[in-house]
Amino acid sequence: MRRLSVVDEIFLRSHQGLGTPIALQGLWRTAETVDPGVLARLHQELRTGPLGRRVVRPRVPGARARWHRNDRAHPLDRHCAALAPAEIPHWADACGADLDPEHGPGWRLSAAPLTDGGTIVALTCSHVLADARGLIIAVERALDAMDAGRAGQRSRGRGDEAADGGPDSDWLDAARTWATVGLGGVRAAARISRGARGPGRGRPAAGGGGAVPGGPLRPALSDPVPHPHRASAGPPARAESPAVAASTAATEQPDEPLRAAGLSVPAAIAGLTETAGTSTFAELNEPALIFRCPVADWDAVAAAYGGTANSLFIWLVANILWAAGFPAAEIAASLPVDTRDEPRIDNDLAVTEIAVTPDDGPADIRATSRSAYERRMSGPRGVPEEFLYLVPDRVAHLLSRGAGERDILCSNIGPIPPALSALGPHECTGIATRAVHPGLDYARRPRTRLSGYLCRFRDDYILTVASLYPERTADAAALHRLVTATAARVGLPIRPW
């Protein structure tokens, strides 16, 4: 039986108004009109594939929520009016509405004609169902089923990813959860006891505040992270799962969860910084732009500055934010990391954090990132992350609020598999990836002010930049000026998608 992870639960709570709502989106662009029959077959394969599932909550305390098959889906959404290419992000934003991974369909397939004669196809999926790599795997399986002429049959791997369990499985799962948390409490008490005896006695506890080497996390990059030209100037960053990051934040600010739990301040508004004169419940505009750049040019610029394609990407996003007037002298960057050891349709990721300063170039970021990707925290401070399964949703939200959020998000999806380069007989001219925040208001705005998403499609890098910083980038025109000016500083030849 497949059950939800702690990360899945964090995303699920955001659908209930506890946190920032997040949906993932893949955008295909073709040079010709896509046959409606092809779209219908793709929709059918997605409906019967691994995305066709929903969350079922157990009644046994401590048991984790589980996945249940759900063949119900939103109808294929076909937009009639032709869109100009510049209108694609704004149109795609609306595709994230009404996604409910618990009570209704958690994904939607949409398509619209383009004024240049092509088609734009959008697959939007609740982050509860999958992360970016998981969404790509689901689409790859659907397209493979179409090519094999198996429309209407189950895609590979469907059965074990959402199968129902036996009548006693919830009790067994709850027992494992309680045992894990109980054992973690005993170990925490032992650590406290050793600490009370004074330093130098007993071994330091893994995950008790320091970074410990683990199996190296694989960055979800389009290029490997090579050895740096020179060592990083600071200590290595710590790679954390979102739940670990939240536990760390709660430990460093112990009064915050208690204050909010006392309901003296609404959890959704605590720590809010908003535009003057704007209601906390007003909808937050999120202008987004999509660019493309030849791989050869991007890699050449990165090499000229002693970096990699990924470190140049991080440099670009950080410096766009500074160009927008971000006041801090240091930017914290959140870097998602793919932790898969096999192709699963899950949220199989962790989060690495690095700090970027205005003096850092791609070479410096390369060195810092490499250290961060090779280290991770082994667990939350004090108690196992499974503790979040045992408390009410609002309490779990308070303990995990802001998990993985930093000043910027730099999500490098990596290379798009060749199987996604065509929709039936229609060749794709480009594929873009990003996250959207349907229904986001100022009260639930995350710490993140600028998000960047990078993927490689054939001989191009496709860059998507989205702003949650209306104080400085209120519209797409302002964001476009900042992105192009920053790219011009290093001679990066990006152009609109």
Side-chain angles (χ1 to χ4, degrees), residues 87-137:
E87 297 175 311
I88 290 175
H90 182 71
W91 166 79
D93 285 343
C95 298
D98 300 323
L99 300 181
D100 188 345
E102 187 171 6
H103 301 108
W107 61 275
R108 173 184 283 108
L109 185 66
S110 310
L114 297 175
T115 54
D116 63 6
T119 301
I120 183 71
V121 179
L123 174 60
T124 313
C125 168
S126 166
H127 212 323
V128 183
L129 296 180
D131 58 19
R133 182 54 58 179
L135 185 60
I136 289 173
I137 294 170

Side-chain angles (χ1 to χ4, degrees), residues 167-428:
D168 61 344
S169 56
D170 284 348
W171 290 101
L172 293 175
D173 189 70
R176 285 192 293 267
T177 300
W178 283 102
T180 299
V181 173
L183 182 59
V186 171
R187 290 173 175 170
R191 289 197 296 268
I192 294 173
S193 176
R194 286 197 299 268
R197 292 198 299 268
R201 299 188 181 187
R203 290 171 50 192
V212 296
L217 299 178
R218 298 189 311 278
L221 307 180
S222 56
D223 56 346
V225 181
H227 289 283
H229 289 309
R230 56 193 179 89
S232 172
R238 300 179 304 186
E240 306 174 354
S241 72
V244 173
S247 176
T248 301
T251 304
E252 293 172 349
Q253 300 180 17
D255 61 321
E256 182 67 12
L258 297 177
R259 181 171 66 90
L263 302 181
S264 58
V265 178
I269 303 178
L272 172 68
T273 57
E274 59 171 299
T275 305
T278 301
S279 166
T280 57
F281 300 106
E283 185 175 351
L284 179 62
N285 182 39
E286 186 182 3
L289 298 170
I290 306 175
F291 298 89
R292 70 192 312 160
C293 179
V295 168
D297 293 335
W298 187 292
D299 288 348
V301 172
Y305 285 89
T308 64
N310 189 61
S311 66
L312 176 61
F313 166 51
I314 299 169
W315 178 92
L316 182 65
V317 177
N319 280 270
I320 292 170
L321 185 59
W322 273 312
F326 188 69
E330 184 176 276
I331 286 178
S334 177
L335 312 178
V337 180
D338 182 12
T339 56
R340 279 174 178 75
D341 54 12
E342 61 178 297
R344 289 186 295 263
I345 317 296
D346 286 315
N347 282 294
D348 206 336
L349 55 84
V351 176
T352 298
E353 176 190 7
I354 66 169
V356 183
T357 70
D359 294 331
D360 289 338
D364 305 292
I365 295 173
R366 175 190 189 185
T368 307
S369 299
R370 181 175 182 271
S371 298
Y373 286 130
E374 291 183 348
R375 291 182 177 270
R376 67 184 181 195
M377 294 295 288
S378 62
R381 293 184 177 185
V383 295
E385 62 182 13
E386 287 82 1
F387 178 74
L388 297 178
Y389 293 125
L390 305 181
V391 297
D393 284 343
R394 290 188 178 276
V395 176
H397 167 62
L398 293 173
L399 294 175
S400 61
R401 185 175 55 196
E405 293 176 3
R406 299 298 184 265
D407 302 318
I408 60 174
L409 170 70
C410 299
S411 180
N412 192 331
I413 309 302
I416 302 297
L420 274 65
S421 62
L423 295 175
H426 308 287
E427 286 293 320
C428 297

Side-chain angles (χ1 to χ4, degrees), residues 450-470:
L450 192 68
S451 299
Y453 308 92
L454 188 72
C455 66
R456 176 174 177 170
F457 178 71
R458 293 177 175 162
D459 295 328
D460 282 333
Y461 285 118
I462 310 296
L463 168 70
T464 304
V465 181
S467 171
L468 289 172
Y469 200 20

